[in-house]
Amino acid sequence: MFSALGIFLFGLVKLQSVAWNNNVEMNTAQQLLFNTRAAFKSGITLPVEWRIEQLNRLLDLLNENENALLDALHKDLRKPKLESIETELIVVKNEAINAIKNVQTWSKPTYPSKAFVQMIDSVYILKEPYGVVLVMSAWNYPIQIIFSQLVGIIASGNCAIIKPSELSPVTSELMSKLIPQYLDKECFRVYLGGIPETTVLLKERFDMIMYTGSSMVGKIVMKAAAEHLTPVILELGGKSPVYVHKDSDLKLVAKRVVWGKFLNLGQTCTAPDYILCHNNVVDSLIDELRKTVEEYFGSDPKESPDLARIVNARNFKRIESIMSATPKEKLAVGGETDESALYIAPTVYKDIQLGDPIMEGEIFGPILPVLAVNGADEAVEIINSQEKPLALYIFAKSDKVGLNFLWDEILKMYEPGSPWSIPNLFEIVIKCITFNNILVFPYLTSQHLLVVQQLLSCTSSGGVTVNDVLMHAASHNLPFGGVGNSGMGRYHGKYTFDALTHEKPVVYRGQNFESLLSARYPPYSEKNLSMVS
């Protein structure tokens, strides 16, 4: 028999629960978050064995539904099969296999060296998951981005609410069906919708937000996260430059740049955005670019099965407006468009100037401007005049430039008219030997300095690939992320695990050795001071 007080309390709790549930039903975002957070708080994600099981289930999802996933990508973007397998499925599978092999090690406590005052203690760092992560994915690589981030979320013991892009509807709808079939339904939930639904979602308090997309929307996401002091990982893109030095193998440069630029029809956040080519070889490079486009896609690229399509009419018109603002006499390759097919031919423009409209923002499409420069010095100046890019690509065969670069850098240390004293001269010698902490003395006698090192040292970007494109962002053993306007935070492989893990320091002290601690207690005296000193 219930007592009267017990019946009252039970009824009160029941009423509160009903009131909460009624409130949740009014807001799908709140309901999803409430239920997902409850799953996380249950502790289900903490055992490493559970995480490995979920990662294996993710691999099952990819392997058992490969044809359906490839078909969805083709319907959304007309993405070629090889591109889909190479840039979407294989990337995620490698991430998952790597996590399965290493998550046991990643999750173990680490033991730092002890300070003197900790000699009688146990000191270690626990790896603690943040909680519920919001994943806001992009449409251009809808499988790779979501699942590669999900690998790290699972491995680190977090739960997730996954918001696929509404601009890749077929793939998003498929993932909303497959994820609950294969992964824990309580811990990993898919939330579909457009801007209104996303706006509601961002009002809620998450423990981490991972967003991939434009800088403009990234600022909106960061502002919403700031309301709750939620940390963010933002992968935003930008104008990623290519510098081509005069001694480069131009045929090789063209093959690699054309592949990376027109992969997914230029709709890649790390795609080369513009080329800075030494003016001695710029005409030859454009000839090689023209030949390579025809070699890869034929005389009529529209008929090639190896070119994707622009994602929608809005993005088509955006890219077309950039082309319309560029004088036709600057067109070197391509230029054909077909709005009904969302097709824009692989296009190259020559004689571009820094102030031209095509250089105002990230292109994110199949048009490639080429700017002629006098050398690495001018390339560095142009790169630094733009926002920090997500990627930088450098092509140089001998890797050497003149000594004048080093001399100019040394002169920058001094105001005009400053006296050339002995200390000044001594400092110059030191700078010559160890410019930017790199030993360059061996190059002084040959009057050369590394051109690659000049661009690495004098520019800032999310990542760099030398004599190729995209490769720094394609592997789980390197961190991937932007800097400044191109983003913040990093992920891939263990870097995702670390980004989604709170490293909690623990000092475990026994209830003994009190005499060793007595000097810290009041009342303070000179004796106390002498003991702690």
Side-chain angles (χ1 to χ4, degrees):
M1 292 291 292
F2 287 111
S3 67
L5 179 60
I7 293 173
F8 172 77
L9 291 174
F10 177 79
L12 182 61
V13 170
K14 188 69 175 175
L15 283 172
Q16 289 175 335
S17 176
V18 170
W20 168 255
N21 286 332
N22 286 339
N23 181 51
V24 167
E25 288 169 1
M26 293 171 62
N27 186 331
T28 304
Q30 285 183 339
Q31 183 176 11
L32 277 176
L33 183 56
F34 176 77
N35 293 338
T36 309
R37 198 177 296 284
F40 175 76
K41 289 182 177 179
S42 73
I44 188 174
T45 68
L46 295 180
V48 174
E49 293 74 19
W50 181 90
R51 303 179 196 182
I52 292 174
E53 179 191 356
Q54 293 296 305
L55 290 169
N56 278 311
R57 292 294 291 155
L58 193 152
L59 281 174
D60 292 342
L61 185 160
L62 296 173
N63 290 326
E64 294 172 11
N65 299 279
E66 181 172 304
N67 289 335
L69 292 167
L70 295 176
D71 184 59
L73 290 168
H74 193 269
K75 288 178 178 177
D76 281 330
L77 290 154
R78 216 197 83 155
K79 191 172 287 196
K81 181 178 179 179
L82 188 145
E83 281 188 18
S84 295
I85 293 174
E86 181 182 40
T87 65
E88 303 259 14
L89 302 185
I90 289 177
V91 171
V92 178
K93 289 178 183 179
N94 288 340
E95 286 267 1
I97 292 168
N98 177 60
I100 289 168
K101 290 180 179 178
N102 294 290
V103 65
Q104 195 81 246
T105 301
W106 296 346
S107 303
K108 290 179 179 179
T110 55
Y111 297 87
S113 59
K114 294 182 182 181
F116 178 76
V117 295
Q118 299 167 334
M119 288 305 169
I120 61 173
D121 308 321
S122 293
V123 179
Y124 53 95
I125 300 170
L126 290 179
K127 308 300 176 62
E128 181 180 88
Y130 277 120
V132 180
V133 179
L134 171 61
V135 176
M136 299 177 65
S137 186
W139 50 264
N140 57 332
Y141 290 89
I143 292 173
Q144 182 217 116
I145 294 171
I146 282 181
F147 285 124
S148 64
Q149 293 180 354
L150 197 53
V151 166
I153 290 168
I154 294 170
S156 55
N158 290 281
C159 294
I161 292 178
I162 302 151
K163 170 62 181 68
S165 174
E166 70 277 12
L167 301 185
S168 51
V170 180
T171 309
S172 297
E173 185 67 32
L174 179 60
M175 286 195 287
S176 74
K177 295 176 181 177
L178 293 179
I179 287 175
Q181 287 180 24
Y182 283 83
L183 302 182
D184 190 295
K185 296 178 182 179
E186 302 300 316
C187 295
F188 309 106
R189 302 168 185 266
V190 180
Y191 180 89
L192 298 178
I195 294 175
E197 291 81 8
T198 304
T199 302
V200 172
L201 193 63
L202 282 172
K203 292 179 181 178
E204 302 305 317
R205 180 173 189 165
F206 292 89
D207 301 296
M208 171 69 77
I209 297 176
M210 303 180 77
Y211 168 75
T212 304
S214 69
S215 298
M216 180 184 70
V217 177
K219 293 174 183 178
I220 296 171
V221 172
M222 193 170 181
K223 184 176 180 180
E227 290 294 320
H228 304 291
L229 298 179
T230 299
V232 295
I233 296 173
L234 305 177
E235 192 271 279
L236 305 178
K239 292 186 77 65
S240 297
V242 179
Y243 173 63
V244 181
H245 198 49
K246 62 184 177 182
D247 63 355
S248 293
D249 180 337
L250 299 182
K251 186 173 182 178
L252 177 145
V253 172
K255 292 177 79 70
R256 295 179 182 181
V257 170
V258 167
W259 168 75
K261 174 60 181 180
F262 301 117
L263 185 76
N264 202 27
L265 205 62
Q267 300 165 117
T268 302
C269 59
T270 51
D273 190 274
Y274 62 98
I275 294 178
L276 299 169
C277 182
H278 197 287
N279 54 24
N280 286 4
V281 296
V282 66
D283 292 335
S284 299
L285 175 63
I286 289 173
D287 285 341
E288 291 297 338
L289 292 171
R290 183 184 297 108
K291 293 175 186 176
T292 305
V293 168
E294 183 169 352
E295 178 187 344
Y296 286 179
F297 308 115
S299 57
D300 184 5
K302 186 179 178 182
E303 300 303 316
S304 172
D306 301 325
L307 273 178
R309 290 295 183 264
I310 302 302
V311 65
N312 57 24
R314 181 173 65 83
N315 276 276
F316 178 92
K317 291 181 182 299
R318 177 187 62 79
I319 299 167
E320 190 178 46
S321 69
I322 297 173
M323 299 173 72
S324 298
T326 306
K328 291 185 178 179
E329 58 267 23
K330 295 188 176 186
L331 180 64
V333 181
E336 300 82 14
T337 65
D338 182 350
E339 185 173 0
S340 65
L342 296 177
Y343 167 76
I344 297 176
T347 298
V348 178
Y349 286 102
K350 62 181 179 179
D351 301 328
I352 296 299
Q353 304 299 315
L354 193 57
D356 290 348
I358 199 171
M359 293 299 295
E360 288 178 0
E362 183 179 9
I363 294 171
F364 216 71
I367 55 179
L368 180 62
V370 180
L371 292 76
V373 294
N374 293 322
D377 290 350
E378 188 178 0
V380 167
E381 185 178 345
I382 291 174
I383 293 167
N384 288 338
S385 71
Q386 308 283 309
E387 295 282 3
K388 294 179 180 180
L390 186 59
L392 168 64
Y393 304 114
I394 308 166
F395 286 86
K397 195 172 185 181
S398 69
D399 295 349
K400 294 178 181 179
V401 291
L403 183 61
N404 64 310
F405 160 68
L406 178 61
W407 181 247
D408 288 344
E409 288 299 311
I410 293 168
L411 291 179
K412 288 176 185 177
M413 297 186 300
Y414 302 100
E415 295 293 331
S418 60
W420 290 91
S421 62
I422 294 300
N424 282 352
L425 293 174
F426 178 75
E427 188 174 356
I428 288 175
V429 172
I430 297 300
K431 288 290 183 180
C432 284
I433 296 173
T434 58
F435 174 69
N436 276 13
N437 296 317
I438 297 156
L439 186 64
V440 298
F441 180 76
Y443 299 101
L444 296 183
T445 54
S446 60
Q447 302 289 296
H448 286 99
L449 181 71
L450 296 178
V451 63
V452 171
Q453 192 56 54
Q454 178 181 355
L455 273 89
L456 288 175
S457 300
C458 299
T459 65
S460 178
S461 60
V464 180
T465 296
V466 179
N467 290 323
D468 204 350
V469 295
L470 310 184
M471 291 298 99
H472 70 279
S475 180
H476 56 72
N477 67 331
L478 292 173
F480 174 62
V483 59
N485 206 59
S486 60
M488 63 181 64
R490 58 186 187 171
Y491 70 101
H492 280 185
K494 186 176 184 294
Y495 299 99
T496 318
F497 179 92
D498 291 341
L500 300 176
T501 298
H502 170 58
E503 294 192 335
K504 184 164 66 177
V506 177
V507 175
Y508 195 114
R509 177 164 288 176
Q511 295 187 10
N512 49 13
F513 299 107
E514 189 65 9
S515 59
L516 298 178
L517 306 174
S518 60
R520 70 183 187 180
Y521 300 135
Y524 301 132
S525 66
E526 290 299 321
K527 181 180 179 181
N528 295 59
L529 182 60
S530 65
M531 291 176 67
V532 300
S533 298

